[in-house]
Amino acid sequence: MIANRSGQRWLLGGVLVLAALAPTLVMTARAWTVAIEPPPSPWELARLRVVAQIKAGDASVLINVTHREMPASPDILNFGKRSTKALERCLSDNVNSDIRARCAAMLGSLGDRRALPTLRVALEDWDAYVRRQVIRTLRHLPDPASFEPLARLYGRQDEALANRQAILATLGALSSPKAVQLLRKELLRKPDKDKPDLRPQAFEALWSSRHLYARPTLVADVSQALRSDNSQLAHLATEAAAELRDPRLVQHLVPLVQHPSEDVRNKAVYALGRIGDRKAARALLLHLPRAREARMLNNIAFALERLDRQAFFAAIQKTIEHKQAIIRLNAAFVVGDVRRPEGLPLLQRALNDDSDYVKTSAIVAVGKLGQPQGVKLLERFVHHDNLSIKQEAIYAVNSLTGGKRADLIYQELLTSNKTARRPDIRRRAAIELGKLGHEDVREYLLVCLETHRCGLSDVEQFFARSKPGDRLPGRLLLAWSSGRPELTEIVARLHPPGALDVAGSALGAIRVERQQQVVAAIDLIGDLGGARFADLLRRERFQRRPWTRVHALVALARVGDESAARQLLQELDDFPVAWLPQMVEAVARIEESAPRKRLLAELQKRAQGAQIDLALAAAAVRLQWEPEQGFFRFLEALASKSGHERDQAQYYLQRNRSDKLTWLLRRALARERRPFTRHRLRKLLDARQRS
Amino acid sequence: MRVSLAGVMLLAGCSVSHVGPAFDTPIPAGEVRDSLELKLTLEPRQDCEESFDLALYQHRGIELIRWDRPQGPGRCEGRRATIRYIPARIQRAQVIRLCRTAARQVEQVEQVRQP
């Protein structure tokens, strides 16, 4: 009887496997016929069987798998939230601890909150590494109800140190007042002599929950951390101080300017500059002549310039005349970066320095000041024998004249015999001339790109201005078809004749293993509106590989397939949260108004939903399509009660590099009065300025 | 001339329309917009463009300041900006006055009316 049932189960399993594997086998067969690949090994087939059973909804499939049968994580995550149950059972019932740990990690990547009860139970796993993975996964799925089991585990004296550290980090992510209490207790506790000091981890975790703090308490805790004898804690506190910008922190930051750790010293100076309290100026002035590294000199100088400009120029004048050339060189660099006209007389002296390095630094700095009188100062260097001095002088003069000295770049750097043995100088000259729209460098830059000596970003702006009859688009298409997927967008923009046919042929011919090129071909068909290749795209949407499938759906939506938008939304709902940012990039490629309209209403619904990761992914698509309208969802998220939502919003705002978003962030900062939201906006803008 | 935030706020204070909630809010699509294109020399400093923006956006009649791509990073002179504003909240002359307070030199290029 038992044997009979077992036989029926195997038969049923076999039918299910065959049915589920059909598309995969077709694709594999295609690969064999085209590429004559060796057939899969028995273990590969076993893994394929497991994948098929997950697809068929078998929740028990991972209970008895060993390492050899366990599919790769992407193959499981590919099924999105349909694989949650199987992963939960794996975590509870597989006897192999490594496999349980992998399943716990995958549950984190999936982000399916239905798994929370199973994960909380798994905090009692006998294996420390499994528990660590579970703790980390609970951080990705923050929920106040996880506090109690985590606190209980933290309270056990026999818990591994790495797990205790991980618990603190996870508690910080919960946005729970109870967790904040526990973390504060850890932060304020006097460390035991013989036990590891966990205050840095407690501080870091508290910082993740800072929006739950009263500001005076937060300032008091940061002050205490700044005074700590633990360098790691002091370092974290200096970073926090730079974000808080509270004048009460100045007195605790000033002594850190002389901290033994270079990192703490630099971060303390940076924070003082950001706080902008003039009381710090004296300490920085005293320290300026004692600085022993370029980073410190630069940090002090920039901080001083904000705090007391007059004192800064008096001090930097001494530094730019220092006995050591390396200090003079750095001082000249700082004067340039400060961009104040008061720096010009100082640089004028540095231009006569005996050291060519100091001279070069001063020339670059004069160029940055943007003062027209700088041109006269630099003219004598444009024919200098030292090629470094010469080229920097030419670029600075060109910049100060508003791009009117391209002739110098062409004659003295690109075509001069003197630079014949310096391809680096010629390449930079050609790229610069391209940016100025100089037609004579077209062929040079094309070859430069073809031979991988120039990056696309170096030439993209110039190439985008192609003229009718130009050979450039065809050459770029040729490069694209020989395996340069990064050229997809520019090829689409220039639309050379035959591009669509080449993309269609590429999709049919490329081996399935080269996924990047397959995706590029799909994207190009979508970019060029290749509706006649819709059938080819439809075949790809059944692909086991998620990105081929998603990009095919995006391309289909763009060429007018109305059902593709619906399927894209299904994918979005089901996708592992760890993959959502890439999903956003793919969907944001849609430029056509009809599919955008079809998707927007649904995306907006999801953007207001309770699933934070999905909500912000949906909002991030809108942010790319309609930044002015979409931005407000992110502003709301930056002020959310949930730290996770704030972090997610910050993440997507950081990823979007558009100028328009920078302007919107500035507008938001100018009008923002909620302190922690203001800090986040300031931080986002600082990061954009640095890059 | 220094960027004077206090000065800008004082000017902005002439109108009551800049007062709003404690954060940025969308301007209804139905409100009439207008634009001004300006050539500007900004106060020379590291973050000249951002300082100008932060000063102007204090007024809620300013909807968006769109910048040209500068010749070099951080350029403060010879810049072009298109300022979109809400005439019902701030008059054109007042926009220009705010700009003059926040920048060293202001020159109007042309006025673009949006449909």
Side-chain angles (χ1 to χ4, degrees):
Chain A
M1 186 72 176
I2 292 169
N4 260 351
R5 270 195 197 161
S6 162
Q8 280 171 0
R9 268 180 60 195
W10 275 107
L11 186 66
L12 182 66
V15 172
L16 278 174
V17 166
L18 273 177
L21 277 179
T24 312
L25 292 175
V26 169
M27 295 309 296
T28 316
R30 195 176 86 179
W32 287 339
T33 26
V34 176
I36 317 174
E37 297 283 322
S41 72
W43 291 116
E44 280 168 337
L45 278 174
R47 285 192 285 272
L48 284 172
R49 269 199 299 271
V50 172
V51 165
Q53 281 175 269
I54 295 174
K55 190 179 179 186
D58 182 350
S60 62
V61 62
L62 296 177
I63 294 176
N64 293 310
V65 293
T66 62
H67 274 299
R68 286 176 167 180
E69 297 149 337
M70 184 72 177
S73 304
D75 287 337
I76 296 179
L77 294 174
N78 184 27
F79 295 113
K81 292 173 182 124
R82 278 174 291 165
S83 54
T84 303
K85 287 281 168 219
L87 290 168
E88 282 183 82
R89 292 296 305 273
C90 165
L91 178 59
S92 307
D93 296 328
N94 194 302
V95 294
N96 184 314
S97 55
D98 284 344
I99 292 185
R100 288 202 304 283
R102 274 182 67 186
C103 290
M106 278 190 265
L107 283 168
S109 302
L110 266 187
D112 188 342
R113 302 180 75 81
R114 290 175 303 176
L116 277 171
T118 307
L119 285 161
R120 288 179 195 133
V121 171
L123 286 173
E124 290 167 21
D125 196 290
W126 276 21
D127 188 276
Y129 181 61
V130 176
R131 289 198 299 278
R132 184 145 70 250
Q133 284 302 338
V134 172
I135 296 163
R136 285 180 182 157
T137 291
L138 287 172
R139 194 187 320 163
H140 296 304
L141 296 164
D143 189 300
S146 299
F147 171 75
E148 295 298 342
L150 284 166
R152 234 185 351 260
L153 190 58
Y154 188 73
R156 283 186 68 142
Q157 293 304 306
D158 59 348
E159 185 50 285
L161 172 65
N163 287 9
R164 288 168 65 81
Q165 291 173 326
I167 290 172
L168 292 177
T170 302
L171 287 175
L174 298 186
S175 294
S176 141
K178 280 186 191 169
V180 169
Q181 269 180 355
L182 186 150
L183 291 167
R184 276 203 81 214
K185 209 170 121 192
E186 281 305 310
L187 177 69
L188 305 177
R189 175 204 297 269
K190 202 175 168 196
D192 298 326
K193 256 190 179 175
D194 305 325
K195 287 187 178 167
D197 184 359
L198 293 180
R199 288 177 301 164
Q201 286 77 20
F203 183 87
E204 224 172 355
L206 274 171
W207 191 246
S208 304
S209 295
R210 59 194 180 280
H211 58 289
L212 302 177
Y213 256 73
R215 191 175 169 93
T217 318
L218 184 57
V219 172
D221 285 355
V222 174
S223 302
Q224 170 149 348
L226 288 170
R227 293 195 304 268
S228 153
D229 53 352
N230 182 317
S231 291
Q232 198 190 345
L233 180 57
H235 181 247
L236 291 167
T238 51
E239 285 180 339
E243 196 176 319
L244 270 179
R245 301 184 185 203
D246 195 299
R248 284 170 287 184
L249 298 171
V250 170
Q251 55 172 320
H252 308 298
L253 282 164
V254 167
L256 296 181
V257 172
Q258 300 189 56
H259 195 277
S261 153
E262 186 185 327
D263 267 351
V264 175
R265 284 198 302 269
N266 276 295
K267 286 278 162 66
V269 170
Y270 177 77
L272 286 169
R274 289 284 154 188
I275 293 171
D277 190 307
R278 284 175 74 107
K279 275 185 284 184
R282 200 170 158 267
L284 293 178
L285 274 171
L286 281 173
H287 199 69
L288 186 68
R290 297 166 60 193
R292 284 191 298 202
E293 70 259 20
R295 184 177 157 212
M296 188 61 164
L297 178 73
N298 296 350
N299 276 332
I300 294 181
F302 288 127
L304 260 181
E305 199 271 332
R306 282 164 178 267
L307 302 176
D308 186 344
R309 189 173 290 156
Q310 221 177 339
F312 161 74
F313 275 107
I316 202 75
Q317 180 163 5
K318 282 184 199 157
T319 320
I320 214 167
E321 289 165 358
H322 198 276
K323 281 184 180 172
Q324 288 203 284
I326 187 71
I327 294 177
R328 297 198 298 277
L329 179 151
N330 275 292
F333 170 84
V334 169
V335 171
D337 259 22
V338 162
R339 293 174 198 269
R340 295 288 312 173
E342 295 95 308
L344 198 59
L346 304 182
L347 292 173
Q348 205 167 342
R349 254 168 281 161
L351 289 175
N352 296 319
D353 202 290
D354 288 339
S355 159
D356 282 354
Y357 290 95
V358 177
K359 218 176 262 173
T360 310
S361 180
I363 289 168
V364 174
V366 171
K368 283 183 186 171
L369 293 194
Q371 300 297 307
Q373 57 268 46
V375 177
K376 271 210 159 157
L377 298 176
L378 298 182
E379 267 169 351
R380 64 188 160 117
F381 296 109
V382 300
H383 300 291
H384 204 281
D385 287 337
N386 180 321
L387 287 176
S388 293
I389 291 179
K390 180 190 177 92
Q391 72 166 339
E392 294 306 341
I394 288 173
Y395 289 124
V397 166
N398 183 56
S399 165
L400 290 171
T401 54
K404 288 181 185 145
R405 295 309 308 267
D407 59 315
L408 277 177
I409 303 176
Y410 188 80
Q411 286 159 19
E412 299 291 329
L413 298 176
L414 185 70
T415 55
S416 161
N417 285 336
K418 288 179 184 167
T419 61
R421 289 172 190 274
R422 292 290 302 272
D424 56 322
I425 290 181
R426 289 192 165 189
R427 186 175 63 241
R428 183 178 165 192
I431 291 170
E432 206 57 42
L433 287 166
K435 285 178 183 163
L436 294 166
H438 211 284
E439 284 300 321
D440 291 351
V441 292
R442 185 166 286 261
E443 183 63 22
Y444 181 102
L445 289 179
L446 191 49
V447 174
C448 191
L449 181 75
E450 285 169 341
T451 53
H452 297 269
R453 286 179 298 124
C454 292
L456 180 59
S457 59
D458 293 330
V459 297
E460 199 170 16
Q461 200 186 330
F462 179 53
F463 284 179
R465 293 191 294 256
S466 174
K467 291 172 181 172
D470 200 343
R471 286 162 53 214
L472 186 142
R475 293 263 294 272
L476 288 177
L477 177 62
L478 191 63
W480 177 89
S481 63
S482 62
R484 302 279 299 269
E486 78 275 15
L487 300 179
T488 305
E489 276 178 41
I490 190 150
V491 169
R493 208 178 316 156
L494 299 177
H495 201 157
L500 191 55
D501 288 309
V502 172
S505 306
L507 186 56
I510 292 162
R511 286 169 49 195
V512 270
E513 287 76 18
R514 293 170 60 190
Q515 199 193 0
Q516 250 200 327
Q517 196 66 22
V518 173
V519 168
I522 292 170
D523 285 347
L524 191 53
I525 292 173
D527 286 339
L528 300 175
R532 65 191 155 97
F533 290 108
D535 284 341
L536 215 51
L537 292 172
R538 277 188 199 108
R539 200 180 68 187
E540 298 298 331
R541 75 181 165 175
F542 295 115
Q543 266 277 1
R544 197 161 59 86
R545 292 168 194 253
W547 298 115
T548 312
R549 205 168 64 223
V550 165
H551 282 260
L553 286 170
V554 167
L556 278 167
R558 299 185 70 180
V559 301
D561 182 329
E562 293 186 13
S563 67
R566 189 172 31 82
Q567 287 178 55
L568 260 179
L569 289 165
Q570 276 169 8
E571 291 276 3
L572 185 70
D573 292 340
D574 214 29
F575 239 45
V577 295
W579 294 358
L580 286 175
Q582 281 167 278
M583 177 78 164
V584 169
E585 295 298 322
V587 179
R589 292 186 70 86
I590 299 176
E591 288 172 4
E592 297 70 19
S593 59
R596 275 193 180 185
K597 209 173 156 189
R598 250 173 244 133
L599 284 163
L600 256 175
E602 286 296 321
L603 287 174
Q604 277 175 258
K605 247 190 250 170
R606 283 161 180 78
Q608 298 304 326
Q611 293 182 52
I612 290 171
D613 296 273
L614 177 62
L616 288 173
V621 175
R622 191 179 184 211
L623 184 70
Q624 295 219 25
W625 287 348
E626 301 178 335
E628 288 191 59
Q629 293 81 2
F631 177 69
F632 290 100
R633 174 66 185 91
F634 283 87
L635 197 54
E636 183 191 311
L638 286 178
S640 163
K641 284 180 187 165
S642 148
H644 181 61
E645 186 166 356
R646 289 178 187 233
D647 289 344
Q648 286 291 302
Q650 187 170 330
Y651 173 79
Y652 281 112
L653 290 170
Q654 256 163 358
R655 269 178 82 94
N656 185 322
R657 308 297 306 164
S658 79
D659 286 342
K660 197 170 216 179
L661 183 58
T662 306
W663 307 330
L664 294 170
L665 284 165
R666 288 176 188 164
R667 188 180 74 191
L669 177 64
R671 296 170 183 177
E672 187 60 61
R673 299 289 170 264
R674 297 165 294 186
F676 292 116
T677 312
R678 209 180 147 73
H679 296 158
R680 295 251 185 186
L681 290 167
R682 184 63 272 168
K683 203 173 172 185
L684 281 163
L685 279 166
D686 285 348
R688 291 172 103 82
Q689 220 169 46
R690 276 199 298 274
S691 61
Chain B
M1 193 168 71
R2 279 172 164 246
V3 178
S4 161
L5 194 62
V8 173
M9 291 185 75
L10 201 67
L11 268 172
C14 298
S15 156
V16 289
S17 60
H18 78 288
V19 181
F23 45 85
D24 196 15
T25 49
I27 296 170
E31 286 222 43
V32 176
R33 271 89 167 157
D34 210 337
S35 296
L36 260 177
E37 195 179 335
L38 301 171
K39 200 173 160 190
L40 300 156
T41 300
L42 302 170
E43 184 67 19
R45 52 185 287 178
Q46 246 192 319
D47 50 2
C48 52
E49 190 187 294
E50 186 185 288
S51 299
F52 179 87
D53 281 0
L54 292 181
L56 250 74
Y57 281 135
Q58 297 290 331
H59 198 295
R60 287 182 184 252
I62 304 292
E63 191 180 32
L64 193 75
I65 305 167
R66 178 187 287 275
W67 289 95
D68 63 345
R69 285 247 169 198
Q71 229 353 278
R75 275 265 170 265
C76 302
E77 72 289 348
R79 302 294 310 276
R80 269 171 191 260
T82 307
I83 302 177
R84 194 164 79 214
Y85 64 97
I86 312 296
R89 301 187 187 187
I90 185 168
Q91 291 175 351
R92 191 172 142 269
Q94 200 184 345
V95 176
I96 295 173
R97 267 207 308 278
L98 284 179
C99 293
R100 293 215 164 108
T101 315
R104 281 198 161 186
Q105 270 179 26
V106 179
E107 196 184 314
Q108 193 178 335
V109 179
E110 61 182 305
Q111 190 176 10
V112 188
R113 274 202 190 279
Q114 285 193 343

